[in-house]
Amino acid sequence: MVVSAPITAGQVSFLLGIIPVFIAWIYSELLEFRKSSSVSKVHSDNNLVELGNGTTKEEDRAVLLEGGLPRSASAKFHSSSIKTNLIRFLTMDDSFLLENRATLRAMSEFGAVLFYFYICDRTTILGDSTKSYNRDLFLFLYALLLIVAAMTSMKKHNDKSAFSGKAILYLNRHQTEEWKGWMQVLFLMYHYFAAAEIYNAIRVFIAAYVWMTGFGNFSYYYIRKDFSLARFAQMMWRLNFFVIFCCIVLNNDYMLYYICPMHTLFTLMVYGALGILNQYNEIRSVMIAKIFACFLVVILIWEIPGVFEIFWGPLAFLLGYTDPAKPDLPRLHEWHFRSGLDRYIWIIGMIYAYYHPTVERWMEKLEELENKRKVTIKSGIVAVAVFVGYLWYEYIYKLDKVTYNKLHPYTSWIPITVYICLRNFTQLFRNYSLTLLAWLGKITLETYISQFHIWLRSNAPNGQPKWLLSLIPDYPMLNFMLTTAIYVIVSHRLFVLTNTLKGIFVPTKDDKKLLSNFLAGIGISVALYSISFIVLQIPHTPA
């Protein structure tokens, strides 16, 4: 086995942390096996106790089936102090290991997945192959997926609106998940097959994701009014937990996975916009002023020359990136380019979310009109949307990518709005969604990050994934089938594990415990890194 880069202190610290967890999990499984296989006579008293605990066990089983942890185990973990839990873990306390067996299993599985990432992308154990693009094959595969999704997963929804209480279903959750799903498939296929001809479409898809960041976060905060520390921590965990470990294990810069810092930034900006003076959010003039202030901030940072570098310069250690293929570019070039492309669309998402109840009321009234007038109005809306979409396609989308990128920040809202109009202009369209695509839409973060390492290959730290992972050499379609199946399964497991571990380490109603967990995590990380750094300084005799 040949490793493509020197071992780093971060990688050693990860091993120092995950190996004891893995050993503890194996031992906990052995303890559980001994416990369950021990033969003892069951007394009637025990039967009564078991019957009394039956409901709790069934509830725990239901949680486990959903990918979480038993409530009893989670509660025991949170009720004990961090110091006590750490001591019991280090001393391999039997009762502690049994109580937290599911937690140890989740952490071990997460570590094993990252080890698989490293094997696939940083060693020569598995091979690679070159990308090739065939438009006919590309369209065939995508059309096949849509046909299968339509035939097997079309589902009708009757969810009630949070505003009107009626099943208007305008931009409902099922629809936006489906939207993310079909875009993500094209986005991933674009990378796998190097489909350069749809570059401009991919830019629109990424803008749509950022639009949803503005739309979804604004809707949540405006309706729920939940600006708690726990909610903020959960949001940051979801966006960054997995990618942080990828950066450590694979020695990559955060900006290699540019979607993560972009969504983190715009999520924070929505949080700040609504969180500041949030008691006045119901006042229309205040909300308009906040949206206007968001535009001013973006204009100041991204439009005025020199301000971007001054503002983000102190964070270059976090947001800087050097592509090995383009070492002469400034460290903040990638961040400037990526964040600048979609600097306005998150605000457009906020505006659409703010006027969402108003549009729902209009749609409700429209559905109540007599049929002829309703058809006339809807036909007019569709005609205008199609005409505007055609003009955008002819005069903007068809431009070369360099010219298009210059116009994209100011025009990406056009195709997004056209899609929203066409997807929602009838109640029938709004009622149905393709759940297969919606399922894929739920794991977009995991599929985005995982593609770099277990579907594609970069072979070097910070390298772009210019190759394909090859498990079946010389059989490109069979290899595509196998690597895709593994890739999707692993991505889904990562989605489940991320949420499972979030439930353990990010308590929802105990800010003191949350802060203690955060500080403990920092302390353990610093300790492991320090030990690893010292170990790597010890001279090693070449083999």
Side-chain angles (χ1 to χ4, degrees), residues 210 213-214 216-218 221 227-229 231-237 239-240 254 259-276 294 297-298 302 311-312 315 318-319 335 346-347 350:
V210 177
T213 294
N217 282 293
F218 184 99
Y221 292 123
F227 300 95
S228 65
L229 178 62
R231 167 64 186 178
F232 177 81
Q234 289 177 334
M235 183 171 55
M236 291 298 103
W237 180 287
L239 288 171
N240 292 292
Y254 184 40
I259 292 292
C260 298
M262 273 179 56
H263 282 286
T264 299
L265 168 66
F266 297 130
T267 297
L268 288 172
M269 294 183 82
V270 176
Y271 181 83
L274 271 74
I276 297 172
C294 290
V297 169
V298 171
W302 275 272
F311 185 83
W312 293 111
L315 292 175
L318 179 64
L319 299 171
W335 176 234
W346 64 278
I347 308 176
M350 288 174 59

Side-chain angles (χ1 to χ4, degrees), residues 131-133 138 188-197 468:
K131 299 180 182 182
S132 63
Y133 177 61
F138 185 94
L188 296 171
M189 290 177 66
Y190 160 79
H191 283 156
Y192 192 91
F193 293 103
E197 67 177 358
L468 307 177

